[in-house]
Amino acid sequence: MAGSVAGHGELNEMPELPEVETVRLGLAAALEGRRLKRVEARRGDLRKPFPERFAARLAGRSVLSLRRRAKYLLLDLDHGETLIMHMGMSGRFTIHARNAPASGSGKHDHVLFETDEGVRIVFTDHRRFGLMTLAPTEELDAHPLFEGVGPEPLDDDFTPAVLSAALKGKRTPIKAALLDQRVVAGLGNIYVCEALFRARISPKRLAASVAGARAARLVPAIKAVLNEAIAAGGSSLRDYAKADGELGYFQHRFRVYGREKKPCPVCGKPIRRIVQAGRSTFFCAHCQK
DNA sequence: CTTACGGCCTGTACGC
DNA sequence: TGCGTACAGGCCGTAA
């Protein structure tokens, strides 16, 4: 029985912070404290080439911990290197129990991991927007991938004052600013739309004007939408633990995302869809100012 | 310095 | 039925 821990139950649902966090919890259970018996990269690149001797550098290493920073997974290994992984838009991990049928040879199955327990983890990514690379654990904070990345939104030090400071002087719409990982880490199109709806802030509003009372609403709104989605993901992991097979951890219903022309859950007026910076934005023009 | 935009990649939905 | 096209969007390189 295989359990996918990057559930994409429905179209348009991409790995943002809550999904990555759910994947982290699912993978950690299979990997932490285990040794990687075998690793195989079945092609030379995803979005970027794999590093030199990628599989060989991982094979035989023990897993110390699996962490997350922004939308990246960080697999700390016992030789002082960390495997940095990003799922892009279509990446997913599937865990196969020791005696499960052969797996990992699908067209888009790009990386295979096998632990000393015989558990197989398959990374599948049909669009190959994902990324895997290696870096010294000690130097992660200075790694180019993380240079300038903003605060973790669920940390206590992500406060309205911190957000206001990051938005100060920004001439873009707040929607675009929240997608900028330098402002705050881990948000994507879905949760930005949801957070702005909760905070009753128009996605078209100038970023610099989100301060004071608006920032004071937006920060808890961001934390709430993320925490609720993580909780939903945790529920689905428990379903997986019951060997339920196909896992969809988005039982979660979004309030505005993907709901163009459907009634606003607050006022009943139709949800609107606009395009900002080439991306769909969903919002309620009546509730969000 | 900032902001804007095209390209990457492929499966899916939709119109004719 | 089949084909072509638009769309999904995180991230990055380049341009303005």
Side-chain angles (χ1 to χ4, degrees):
Chain A
M1 185 63 70
S4 165
V5 289
H8 290 262
E10 299 168 22
L11 196 65
N12 299 338
E13 291 161 352
M14 309 296 159
E16 301 184 28
L17 187 153
E19 291 71 36
V20 178
E21 184 61 21
T22 300
V23 169
R24 186 186 72 79
L25 288 168
L27 286 182
L31 284 175
E32 282 185 349
R34 305 316 326 168
R35 193 173 57 82
L36 298 177
K37 189 165 68 182
R38 199 176 75 84
V39 176
E40 180 184 349
R42 299 185 63 235
R43 55 175 297 131
D45 62 81
L46 296 173
R47 181 158 54 79
K48 292 180 177 178
F50 290 102
E52 291 296 317
R53 302 182 55 252
F54 175 74
R57 284 159 71 181
L58 294 170
R61 306 273 52 103
S62 289
V63 175
L64 302 179
S65 58
L66 181 59
R67 299 180 289 150
R68 179 189 58 74
R69 170 72 171 117
K71 298 172 194 170
Y72 291 87
L73 292 166
L74 306 174
L75 191 74
D76 297 319
L77 301 165
D78 65 350
H79 66 322
E81 282 195 310
T82 293
L83 170 59
I84 303 169
M85 300 184 281
H86 195 290
M87 302 197 294
M89 296 183 53
S90 59
R92 64 188 69 186
F93 289 91
T94 310
I95 300 174
H96 301 267
R98 179 158 46 89
N99 295 318
S103 58
S105 58
K107 184 177 173 186
H108 302 298
D109 294 340
H110 302 312
V111 185
L112 317 178
F113 303 88
E114 186 174 337
T115 74
D116 53 354
E117 291 184 314
V119 171
R120 291 164 64 85
I121 294 167
V122 180
F123 179 71
T124 308
D125 184 6
H126 72 260
R127 283 184 217 176
R128 298 205 307 276
F129 281 13
L131 173 73
M132 290 197 191
T133 193
L134 287 160
T137 306
E138 297 291 318
E139 297 172 17
L140 285 185
D141 287 343
H143 195 282
L145 286 172
F146 303 113
E147 191 180 354
V149 170
E152 286 290 327
L154 295 178
D155 283 359
D156 288 341
D157 58 10
F158 180 62
T159 62
V162 166
L163 179 61
S164 299
L167 296 174
K168 189 176 178 184
K170 278 223 170 256
R171 307 293 301 166
T172 56
I174 184 63
K175 161 73 189 308
L178 292 177
L179 286 173
D180 184 342
Q181 301 296 295
R182 294 168 300 183
V183 170
V184 57
L187 297 182
N189 206 39
I190 294 172
Y191 294 104
V192 166
C193 291
E194 294 295 306
L196 287 172
F197 175 76
R198 297 247 194 152
R200 310 194 307 279
I201 295 170
S202 169
K204 296 187 279 191
R205 172 172 284 278
L206 188 70
S209 77
V210 176
R214 289 192 184 87
R217 290 204 305 272
L218 183 52
V219 166
I222 290 169
K223 291 175 188 277
V225 297
L226 296 178
N227 278 321
E228 288 175 23
I230 289 170
S235 302
S236 73
L237 281 184
R238 282 187 287 283
D239 290 344
Y240 162 62
K242 293 176 201 161
D244 201 12
E246 188 68 26
L247 163 67
Y249 64 67
F250 294 99
Q251 302 98 351
H252 215 65
R253 287 279 162 254
F254 300 119
R255 296 189 189 178
V256 289
Y257 186 83
R259 300 192 65 246
E260 184 182 15
K261 295 177 181 156
K262 291 178 178 160
C264 167
V266 171
C267 74
K269 291 188 165 48
I271 298 297
R272 289 182 51 199
R273 174 186 175 272
I274 59 174
V275 175
Q276 294 179 287
R279 303 288 183 257
S280 290
T281 298
F282 299 90
F283 73 112
C284 173
H286 180 256
C287 294
Q288 296 174 250
K289 300 297 181 189

